[in-house]
Amino acid sequence: MKRYLLTILAVLTLSFPAVQAQQKYFVDGFHGGVYGHYPLMTYTQFMVDQMNQHPDWYIGLEIEPETWDTVMVKTPEAYRAFQEKLKTAQAEYTNPSYAQSYLYCTTGESIIRQFEYGMKKIRQHFPEVLIATYSVEEPCFTSCLPGILSQFGFRYAVLKCPNTCWGGYSAPYGGELVNFIGPDGTSLVSVPRYACEELEKNSVWQTAGWGNSPEFFKACFDYGIKNPVAMTYQDAGWTNGPWIGSVERKLRGTKYTRWTKYIEEQSVGATTDDYHFSQEDVRPGLMWGTQVMQRLAQQCRVSEYLIPQAEKMASMAFLANGFHPNQADIDEAWRELLLSQHHDCWIVPYNRLNARGNWADNVKLWTSDANKLSKRVIDSAFASYEEYGKPALKVFNTSGFRRTEVINVGLADGRYMDVKVDVPSFGYVLITNDQLVDPAITKSVKVGKKECVMENDCVRIVVDLQKGGVVKSFVLKETGYEYIDNQSEYAFGELRGFFDQQKRFISSKEKPATVTVLEDNALVKCIRIEGDIAGTKFQQTMTLREGSPLVDCSMKIDWKENQRIGDFTRPMRKAKSDKRTTFYDTRYALSLMFPTSLEDAKLFKNAPFDVCESKLDNTFFNDWDSIKHNVIVEWVSLTPRRNSENVGNQCLGLLTDHTTSYSFGKDYPLALTAQYSGPGLWGRDYRINGPTTFRYALMPYKVSEGDSESEGDSDGKASVTVMNQICTSWNEPLIALNSYSDIQKSESFIDVTDTGFELVNVINKGDDIFVRLHQTRHNAGSQSVCVAGDVKRVVEVDFLDNEGKELEVRKEGEKSIFNVSLPQHGVRTYKVTK
């Protein structure tokens, strides 16, 4: 009978698999470093002791890699003990980036270098530590992460930061696991911030998943998550040890784990839930529009383009004459920029960092040094060319497409001149000085008492001087389309914001403006508008150049004293847990308004290696628990929907020289945040302490049917390729240097014109160049990459320089050609051996 019952039990066991038991998990870890916060003399030994004391406890590490250079020297015994611990399964490194950048507010190349330099440093100290899952304490997320992480060997990611959401958080989505899919289609199995993971009540810095809360785990079980996981990354310096305790009474059945172990061994392991992560799933709430943020973002932007431009100039010289740059200069330039992108620079810029000052002070010094080093590389690359003959101008183009532009150059004889140059892709043109002629004075800018009219061959602009210098007509001559909506209650180019002292919205339209013609010749038209906003003078320049519809603008608001500008219509935050602030709603900040006739337009905004089609009804929010993505990194573009017959395919792009916020919504025009002044995060007073200066540009353009980025049932996407190319030209100017030559000549070393490819970077390593390409075009298919001279071999490599497939190279005349096929927003690097 007993044998019979055992047989029946065995059959039942085989026929009906056991119901998977529900199990709670918790991931613990440490965040910080030598720049953020890390007690250098004690904390490494503290972590070693805690790991020894609690062998069933696991940790994830997000410690700045540079920290270990100092720990190795100051506490060598603790350092060696920690090295041994990181060889075990008790720990893994989940964010090896150099400076824990927020990522969403920078360039794609900078993100690659954050991980490249960070992982190199980590491997110097801990060659055997596991690096497989990306996880962070702060909202350091961006949409292109799957494509970048996978090329650094990451297998998984975590899209939550439950215990540090002061500066924002990720959107809730899905259950136990999701497939985190980037804009290029790359997918990583990931743990999301669950759809049931609500923001913590009575908090402005946590989600419900920050601790061992029974309510959180019950919500997860009710949602169908069988193996829910909570997490906290403790700030280095905290001495709690295991965050939720180490005895069963406190653990309440929750098990410690680490991320890679959890995903591979303790979760469901796989999923069919595809999460097409949008940039709007990143919800940041930083102090946009404050002077300190404007300045540090501008400083970072210059270096973000100048360092790759220096690397490109060095690679160009290598292809021309075998030049090799001083790699130490390039490495140090990158190091200082990467530190400037540290999240603490952006969220606590006023916090004191070191003897040199606060975070913002250090950004200014770091980027200044990075720029000097980059210019030294450029100068040495230029000096490697042996040029003889008469004085000449040598103009370099570091982008991958041919450029015909008007530039202002300084000649060897001390003269400055506007010249129009045609420079081949990734190459140069040499023009002898005797061929340069000052452009004819035209006096075509018309200034009257009421208005000013300026135009070139592409656009015509009329400025209303009676209404503070706003634009009342803006016509693209190619189509005759009028971009200005004169029926709007707002005006194009109007400065408008809520001033606390006057207790009302004040507009630059309220007082008349004057205009001065600064330049008026056959190539350049430039005016300066001078007006008044709330008793403060401002100056705005507008520049047109022949052959381009782009309107290049600069703004200077000459503040003489602090004025509070923001949402002071409601009581100010009294406690740090108050969700409502004066700085979230950008409609109350001083804004530069751009009402257009593009009715029912869709908005597109660029992000690192991505362009996001906004799905927001509007960008407005007042409270921490309702943050929306309202960030402009480099540009936004308004594009008509397919049914906008009166608009056709007209588009308008807006570029800015710094990452900041924008406003947009139904019955509210596109607006660029120009100034906020008042209380901010942690009650800090973000004051005005001098003039506000920034650059922006307006780009009217038409998308032809063949260029449309539309796909599926999407309504007429903006021409991503057009705006990315304009963005490159605006941020990566032609480099004009005085040289010598008896003849005019030009040379192109790499050409990807009309392929959709952005030439992200060209890096010289030994006898090879590494060509990094980003495909901006939808359905581009196979495209040709042309390299001057003979090429022995081309092979695709990942970001760790591991070789992949080898590409066929064919010779056509003096050029070698290989073909590359990438999905839209795909990024790949090709090792080219000459």
Side-chain angles (χ1 to χ4, degrees):
M1 183 67 179
K2 182 177 180 181
R3 180 178 297 178
Y4 175 76
L5 290 174
L6 289 174
T7 302
I8 294 296
L9 180 61
V11 171
L12 290 173
T13 302
L14 291 173
S15 302
F16 301 97
V19 176
Q20 183 179 355
Q22 295 177 327
Q23 176 60 56
K24 303 177 295 180
Y25 293 96
F26 189 87
V27 171
D28 207 344
F30 295 98
H31 158 95
V34 65
Y35 292 98
H37 34 73
Y38 191 97
L40 292 167
M41 301 305 298
T42 60
Y43 210 68
T44 307
Q45 188 61 54
F46 169 79
M47 290 191 293
V48 171
D49 292 343
Q50 290 295 312
M51 294 172 77
N52 287 334
Q53 185 178 343
H54 307 288
D56 295 329
W57 178 54
Y58 300 88
I59 60 170
L61 292 172
E62 189 190 22
I63 303 297
E64 297 154 7
E66 208 173 290
T67 304
W68 308 114
D69 292 343
T70 305
V71 170
M72 178 177 62
V73 174
K74 289 186 176 292
T75 57
E77 291 185 7
Y79 169 78
R80 287 191 291 271
F82 197 61
Q83 281 183 310
E84 293 302 312
K85 280 297 178 185
L86 264 59
K87 294 178 183 178
T88 72
Q90 203 172 352
E92 65 179 317
Y93 232 105
T94 65
N95 183 8
S97 67
Y98 202 86
Q100 303 169 0
S101 166
Y102 278 129
L103 305 181
Y104 64 80
C105 51
T106 184
T107 61
E109 179 69 3
S110 292
I111 298 173
I112 293 171
R113 306 312 270 271
Q114 283 282 357
F115 286 99
E116 176 188 327
Y117 281 94
M119 291 180 70
K120 181 179 179 181
K121 178 67 69 176
I122 292 298
R123 290 302 183 196
Q124 289 173 359
H125 292 284
F126 311 110
E128 297 178 49
V129 69
L130 177 66
I131 302 176
T133 303
Y134 178 75
S135 180
V136 291
E137 185 201 42
E138 299 262 358
C140 301
F141 306 118
T142 194
S143 57
C144 70
L145 269 176
I148 290 179
L149 292 175
S150 63
Q151 292 194 60
F152 279 108
F154 284 81
R155 302 194 296 273
Y156 315 109
V158 178
L159 298 173
K160 62 172 77 185
C161 54
N163 68 301
T164 309
C165 304
W166 295 97
Y169 40 80
S170 57
Y173 177 90
E176 191 161 318
L177 295 177
V178 298
N179 295 317
F180 172 22
I181 300 178
D184 66 340
T186 303
S187 176
L188 287 180
V189 173
S190 301
V191 178
R193 176 190 156 201
Y194 306 136
C196 61
E197 186 174 340
E198 297 182 351
L199 299 174
E200 187 79 336
K201 297 176 181 178
N202 302 314
S203 173
V204 292
W205 67 92
Q206 296 160 302
T207 75
W210 70 276
N212 196 16
S213 162
E215 293 78 14
F216 166 72
F217 284 114
K218 181 180 184 302
C220 292
F221 290 142
D222 290 346
Y223 191 76
I225 301 171
K226 295 186 180 300
N227 308 287
V229 59
M231 75 169 285
T232 277
Y233 272 11
Q234 304 178 50
D235 278 356
W238 294 359
T239 56
N240 302 280
W243 182 247
I244 58 172
S246 58
V247 296
E248 182 56 37
R249 177 177 57 82
K250 291 186 177 181
L251 291 173
R252 295 193 294 267
T254 301
K255 292 183 178 180
Y256 283 109
T257 188
R258 54 180 174 79
W259 282 119
T260 304
K261 178 180 178 66
Y262 168 77
I263 294 171
E264 292 183 343
E265 302 175 17
Q266 297 161 330
S267 74
V268 292
T271 179
T272 59
D273 188 358
D274 291 342
Y275 183 14
H276 293 272
F277 190 92
S278 162
Q279 195 68 359
E280 291 187 337
D281 289 328
V282 183
R283 298 179 179 176
L286 299 181
M287 296 304 301
W288 310 118
T290 60
Q291 285 191 331
V292 65
M293 290 288 286
Q294 289 171 331
R295 292 166 184 164
L296 68 86
Q298 288 167 333
Q299 291 155 2
C300 286
R301 179 66 50 80
V302 171
S303 299
E304 286 165 357
Y305 276 89
L306 187 58
I307 301 174
Q309 198 165 27
E311 291 183 302
K312 290 179 180 181
M313 286 287 287
S315 296
M316 201 183 300
F318 167 75
L319 293 171
N321 54 49
F323 168 81
H324 288 284
N326 182 346
Q327 189 61 41
D329 282 351
I330 293 175
D331 290 341
E332 182 60 17
W334 273 115
R335 172 185 169 273
E336 297 198 87
L337 171 60
L338 300 181
L339 291 174
S340 301
Q341 297 167 340
H342 194 292
H343 66 272
D344 278 338
C345 298
W346 293 69
I347 193 168
V348 286
Y350 284 125
N351 280 14
R352 187 169 181 80
L353 176 60
N354 51 32
R356 305 200 310 177
N358 58 34
W359 283 97
D361 296 329
N362 277 269
V363 170
K364 183 177 180 179
L365 295 169
W366 283 328
T367 54
S368 176
D369 287 344
N371 296 344
K372 290 175 184 176
L373 291 167
S374 299
K375 290 173 183 177
R376 189 158 75 189
V377 171
I378 290 172
D379 289 343
S380 60
F382 174 68
S384 70
Y385 294 87
E386 295 184 359
E387 308 287 4
Y388 304 97
K390 299 179 292 185
L393 188 69
K394 194 167 191 175
V395 184
F396 293 88
N397 172 13
T398 54
S399 56
F401 53 90
R402 191 176 199 95
R403 289 165 66 173
T404 302
E405 296 177 13
V406 175
I407 60 174
N408 186 262
V409 299
L411 302 180
D413 59 10
R415 291 181 298 147
Y416 284 85
M417 181 184 298
D418 293 322
V419 296
K420 190 170 187 177
V421 294
D422 181 22
V423 193
S425 59
F426 200 70
Y428 67 85
V429 63
L430 259 170
I431 309 169
T432 58
N433 284 9
D434 55 16
Q435 294 176 302
L436 300 174
V437 180
D438 280 310
I441 302 300
T442 57
K443 295 184 178 181
S444 62
V445 178
K446 306 299 181 184
V447 180
K449 293 182 178 181
K450 296 182 179 181
E451 65 182 29
C452 172
V453 181
M454 67 183 302
E455 59 186 311
N456 65 358
D457 55 326
C458 297
V459 296
R460 182 178 186 271
I461 295 173
V462 181
V463 176
D464 190 336
L465 300 178
Q466 292 184 313
K467 293 184 178 180
V470 302
V471 177
K472 67 178 184 180
S473 179
F474 183 16
V475 175
L476 180 64
K477 289 185 176 182
E478 177 189 3
T479 61
Y481 184 76
E482 172 63 76
Y483 279 87
I484 302 301
D485 177 13
N486 284 313
Q487 302 303 311
S488 172
E489 64 177 291
Y490 310 102
F492 196 97
E494 167 192 4
L495 281 169
R496 181 181 187 273
F498 190 90
F499 286 73
D500 185 35
Q501 183 176 352
Q502 293 85 348
K503 302 298 181 185
R504 70 179 182 91
F505 281 98
I506 298 179
S507 167
S508 59
K509 292 191 304 181
E510 296 175 13
K511 294 186 179 180
T514 60
V515 68
T516 303
V517 179
L518 300 180
E519 202 166 359
D520 188 355
N521 60 49
L523 296 179
V524 179
K525 323 288 182 185
C526 180
I527 63 172
R528 180 177 64 228
I529 300 165
E530 297 178 83
D532 181 286
I533 178 76
T536 296
K537 302 298 181 184
F538 71 86
Q539 296 180 357
Q540 180 174 207
T541 64
M542 304 178 79
T543 304
L544 302 177
R545 297 177 178 88
E546 184 189 42
S548 173
L550 185 130
V551 186
D552 209 343
C553 304
S554 68
M555 174 68 73
K556 178 181 180 181
I557 308 172
D558 197 15
W559 304 108
K560 300 301 182 185
E561 60 183 4
N562 181 51
Q563 296 203 42
R564 294 180 1 143
I565 311 168
D567 187 3
F568 294 96
T569 61
R570 62 187 88 257
M572 292 173 54
R573 175 185 280 184
K574 296 180 180 179
K576 66 180 183 180
S577 60
D578 289 347
K579 297 179 185 293
R580 179 156 291 188
T581 76
T582 55
F583 58 86
Y584 279 150
D585 195 334
T586 52
R587 289 174 295 182
Y588 290 83
L590 187 66
S591 299
L592 196 54
M593 315 294 292
F594 300 107
T596 73
S597 55
L598 298 172
E599 297 179 3
D600 195 29
K602 303 183 76 170
L603 185 139
F604 292 78
K605 47 191 167 185
N606 89 312
F609 296 139
D610 190 13
V611 172
C612 171
E613 176 184 338
S614 180
K615 301 298 184 181
L616 300 175
D617 293 331
N618 60 62
T619 59
F620 316 136
F621 61 95
N622 300 104
D623 304 320
W624 172 80
D625 55 10
S626 58
I627 293 176
K628 301 178 184 180
H629 185 284
N630 63 350
V631 177
I632 173 173
V633 179
E634 294 172 307
W635 60 264
V636 299
S637 181
L638 297 178
T639 304
R641 300 177 189 270
R642 287 180 177 176
N643 59 1
S644 302
E645 297 179 0
N646 61 321
V647 175
N649 292 321
Q650 308 296 327
C651 307
L652 181 66
L654 168 65
L655 300 99
T656 171
D657 70 349
H658 64 290
T659 300
T660 186
S661 59
Y662 72 94
S663 303
F664 187 63
K666 185 177 181 182
D667 300 324
Y668 196 87
L670 175 64
L672 181 68
T673 303
Q675 194 74 79
Y676 169 82
S677 176
L681 291 167
W682 294 283
R684 172 78 197 206
D685 190 7
Y686 283 74
R687 298 173 62 84
I688 293 171
N689 59 12
T692 292
T693 60
F694 60 90
R695 292 176 57 234
Y696 69 96
L698 297 163
M699 179 62 189
Y701 64 101
K702 179 182 178 181
V703 180
S704 66
E705 293 298 330
D707 291 334
S708 175
E709 297 294 331
S710 303
E711 55 180 307
D713 60 356
S714 178
D715 290 327
K717 285 187 177 180
S719 178
V720 175
T721 304
V722 170
M723 283 305 300
N724 269 309
Q725 190 163 302
I726 291 297
C727 181
T728 297
S729 299
W730 199 64
N731 287 286
E732 193 173 321
L734 300 175
I735 298 174
L737 298 168
N738 287 296
S739 185
Y740 298 93
S741 181
D742 286 323
I743 59 172
Q744 178 169 333
K745 64 179 182 179
S746 63
E747 189 169 6
S748 172
F749 297 97
I750 299 175
D751 188 8
V752 291
T753 301
D754 296 329
T755 61
F757 287 131
E758 173 194 359
L759 188 62
V760 179
N761 208 342
V762 183
I763 303 166
N764 172 226
K765 299 179 184 180
D767 293 329
D768 304 310
I769 58 169
F770 289 69
V771 179
R772 184 126 59 227
L773 301 174
H774 165 221
Q775 180 55 265
T776 64
R777 187 179 296 170
H778 175 60
N779 286 336
S782 179
Q783 297 290 336
S784 297
V785 180
C786 301
V787 180
D790 294 328
V791 170
K792 297 178 182 177
R793 182 172 181 258
V794 176
V795 61
E796 182 179 316
V797 296
D798 63 18
F799 295 147
L800 295 171
D801 289 351
N802 297 312
E803 294 191 358
K805 63 180 179 181
E806 187 169 341
L807 278 64
E808 179 183 347
V809 182
R810 65 184 187 275
K811 193 73 183 295
E812 293 185 7
E814 298 299 318
K815 295 184 180 297
S816 297
I817 300 174
F818 60 94
N819 276 58
V820 172
S821 180
L822 293 180
Q824 186 175 32
H825 301 307
V827 181
R828 296 293 186 276
T829 308
Y830 300 91
K831 178 182 176 181
V832 178
T833 302
K834 296 286 285 183

